């Protein structure tokens, strides 16, 4: 069994936790704060900020996150999606913001045909997690003009209301993906004969449809689920980018409205920002900017009120 160890920044570790969220497993090691298992690799993040990759795919998996020089950004990932000559028009759907304490959850479904594929050639499309936020903000407005898409944003206030009423993140994501896909079907007039539709898998298909048991309409025909689909299908990667762009725009609006810089992720820096927000704006306003069931809320309250 091969193994690779990397020392990574807190920002990259937060991105890793989001990236492998659907594959997270339990780990009793007190020094391990996150463990995930893919088909060929087990990834363990330790409190020391070291990450251990173990398994036959350890080297390949670690290269996604390996740094070069003194930078802390992900190394560019060349998508293996649909080689030349095998491209087919398809829909892809992905979500952003699920692992971030501050800011909304966003889901975007996009439809990419051959014309859109050719128009996107110069954009160097990748999974949004492998791209800088500044580059995403640069290309996303241009991308929005090239293909049909359906973008849904779940504000923090509504997120907290749903969570309080028994919706877990999985159910929220299922409803958002389903609704975004159905909206897109209408835009491209494909309700009766939809193209292949790929959802970046966050739950087993059976669980996904259980979440949607009460939904009036469910997109099922030609719908498929794949882990890391944003690295395989252009439409999923585009959905990831537009969802990330919407998340960043909402975070910018929050920064301006509340007069503070909200950090991304769910790290100790986020705990400090939550403490500052409560001190400045009151705990009653916290549900407007944060996912209050995250552990960061209790940490901030403990710091303030104990």
């Amino acid at each position: 069994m091969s193994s690779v160890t990397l020392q990574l920044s807190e920002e990259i570790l937060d991105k890793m936790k989001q990236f492998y969220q659907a594959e997270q497993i339990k780990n009793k090691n007190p020094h391990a704060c996150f463990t995930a298992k893919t088909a060929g690799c087990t990834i363990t993040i330790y409190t020391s900020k070291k990450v251990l990759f173990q398994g036959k795919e350890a080297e390949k998996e670690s290269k996604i996150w390996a740094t070069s020089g003194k930078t802390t950004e992900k190394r560019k990932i060349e998508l293996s999606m649909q080689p030349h000559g095998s491209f087919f028009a398809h829909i892809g759907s992905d979500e952003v913001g699920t692992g971030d304490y501050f800011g909304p959850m966003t889901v975007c479904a996009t439809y990419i045909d051959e014309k859109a594929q050719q128009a996107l050639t110069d954009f160097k499309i990748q999974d949004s997690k492998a791209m800088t936020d500044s580059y995403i903000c640069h290309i996303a407005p241009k991308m929005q003009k090239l293909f049909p898409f359906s973008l849904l944003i779940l504000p923090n206030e509504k997120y907290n209301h749903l969570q309080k009423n028994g919706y877990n993140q999985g159910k929220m994501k299922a409803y958002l993906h389903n609704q975004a896909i159905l909206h897109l079907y209408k835009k491209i007039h494909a309700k009766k004969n939809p193209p292949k539709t790929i959802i970046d898998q966050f739950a087993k298909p059976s669980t996904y449809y259980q979440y949607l048991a009460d939904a009036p309409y469910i997109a099922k025909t030609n719908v498929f689920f794949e882990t890391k689909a944003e690295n395989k299908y252009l439409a999923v990667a585009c959905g990831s980018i537009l969802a990330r762009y919407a998340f960043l725009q909402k975070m910018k609006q929050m920064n301006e409205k509340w007069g503070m810089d909200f950090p991304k992720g769910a790290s100790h820096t986020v705990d400090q920002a939550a403490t500052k927000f409560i001190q400045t704006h009151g705990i009653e306003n916290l549900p407007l900017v944060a996912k209050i069931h995250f552990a960061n809320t209790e940490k901030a309250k403990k710091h303030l009120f104990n």
Side-chain angles (χ1 to χ4, degrees):
M1 179 185 294
S2 60
S3 64
V4 178
T5 302
L6 298 177
Q7 183 83 43
L8 299 173
S9 70
E10 202 166 76
E11 179 184 358
I12 299 299
L13 295 179
D14 283 338
K15 288 187 176 184
M16 288 186 72
K17 291 173 184 177
Q18 294 175 46
F19 189 75
Y20 294 113
Q21 186 181 44
E23 296 154 312
Q24 185 177 3
I25 61 174
K26 293 182 179 180
N27 190 332
K28 295 182 180 180
N29 187 328
H31 301 292
C33 58
F34 182 92
T35 301
K37 189 170 184 178
T38 67
C41 185
T42 300
I43 303 99
T44 304
I45 301 174
Y46 293 93
T47 53
S48 62
K49 298 182 183 180
K50 286 185 178 180
V51 184
L52 176 64
F53 300 82
Q54 289 179 301
K56 61 181 181 180
E57 298 290 334
E59 187 173 350
K60 180 180 178 181
E61 200 74 24
S62 66
K63 283 182 179 179
I64 298 176
W65 308 97
T67 57
S68 58
K70 295 183 179 180
T71 65
T72 58
E73 296 177 0
K74 274 191 196 176
R75 182 173 293 171
K76 297 280 187 181
I77 305 173
E78 292 298 328
L79 297 183
S80 60
M81 55 193 176
Q82 300 172 277
H84 295 295
S86 65
F87 182 85
F88 54 86
H90 63 292
I91 287 173
S93 189
D94 201 2
E95 80 280 338
V96 169
T98 58
D100 294 276
Y101 178 67
F102 291 116
M105 182 189 295
T106 60
V107 169
C108 186
T110 73
Y111 173 67
I112 306 297
D113 59 13
E114 290 188 9
K115 183 179 178 181
Q117 182 210 24
Q118 293 173 4
L120 289 165
T121 302
D122 295 331
F123 285 83
K124 299 178 181 178
I125 302 300
Q126 306 173 68
D127 170 22
S128 67
K129 301 180 191 70
M131 303 168 75
T132 64
D133 288 343
S134 60
Y135 186 61
I136 288 173
C137 291
H138 174 67
I139 66 171
K142 300 176 183 179
M143 290 172 59
Q144 290 175 342
K145 301 175 183 178
L146 301 177
F147 49 78
F149 66 92
S150 175
L151 173 70
L152 297 177
I153 300 172
L154 183 63
N156 289 104
E157 187 174 18
K158 188 171 183 180
Y159 175 101
N160 291 315
H161 174 75
L162 290 172
Q163 196 276 331
K164 188 177 180 180
N165 284 275
Y167 280 62
N168 60 23
Q169 270 201 0
K171 188 167 185 175
M172 292 184 214
K173 287 191 282 188
Y175 268 82
L176 289 171
H177 278 285
N178 185 61
Q179 191 173 357
I181 291 167
L182 290 173
H183 285 175
L184 192 52
Y185 284 171
K186 290 182 180 179
K187 285 188 176 183
I188 64 174
H189 308 290
K191 189 175 181 180
K192 292 184 178 180
N193 188 28
K196 182 174 182 178
T197 301
I198 302 100
I199 298 174
D200 188 44
Q201 186 171 336
F202 57 87
K204 293 180 180 179
S206 58
T207 303
Y208 174 86
Y209 290 117
Q210 284 175 9
Y211 286 144
L212 295 173
D214 297 329
Y217 301 100
I218 303 173
K220 282 187 176 182
T221 304
N222 221 13
V223 173
F224 300 87
F225 302 83
E226 289 197 37
T227 58
K228 301 181 186 177
E230 66 276 19
N231 289 330
K232 305 171 186 175
Y233 297 94
L234 184 57
V236 182
C238 289
S240 172
I241 291 168
L242 296 192
R244 180 68 177 177
Y245 177 64
F247 173 81
L248 294 171
Q249 293 300 104
K250 287 298 180 181
M251 289 288 278
K252 182 179 178 181
Q253 292 171 14
M254 281 171 47
N255 291 344
E256 294 170 353
K257 179 178 180 178
W258 299 100
M260 62 181 290
D261 187 15
F262 292 100
K264 303 175 189 71
S267 64
H268 178 64
T269 304
V270 173
D271 298 340
Q272 295 174 327
T275 302
K276 179 181 176 181
F277 183 89
I278 294 170
Q279 289 174 322
T280 307
H281 300 290
I283 195 167
E284 67 276 8
N285 285 314
L286 192 62
L288 302 179
V289 298
K291 302 174 183 71
I292 57 174
H293 69 100
F294 278 33
N296 305 84
T297 300
E298 291 305 315
K299 291 177 183 177
K301 288 165 65 176
K302 184 177 180 181
H303 178 76
L304 280 171
F305 305 127
N306 286 353

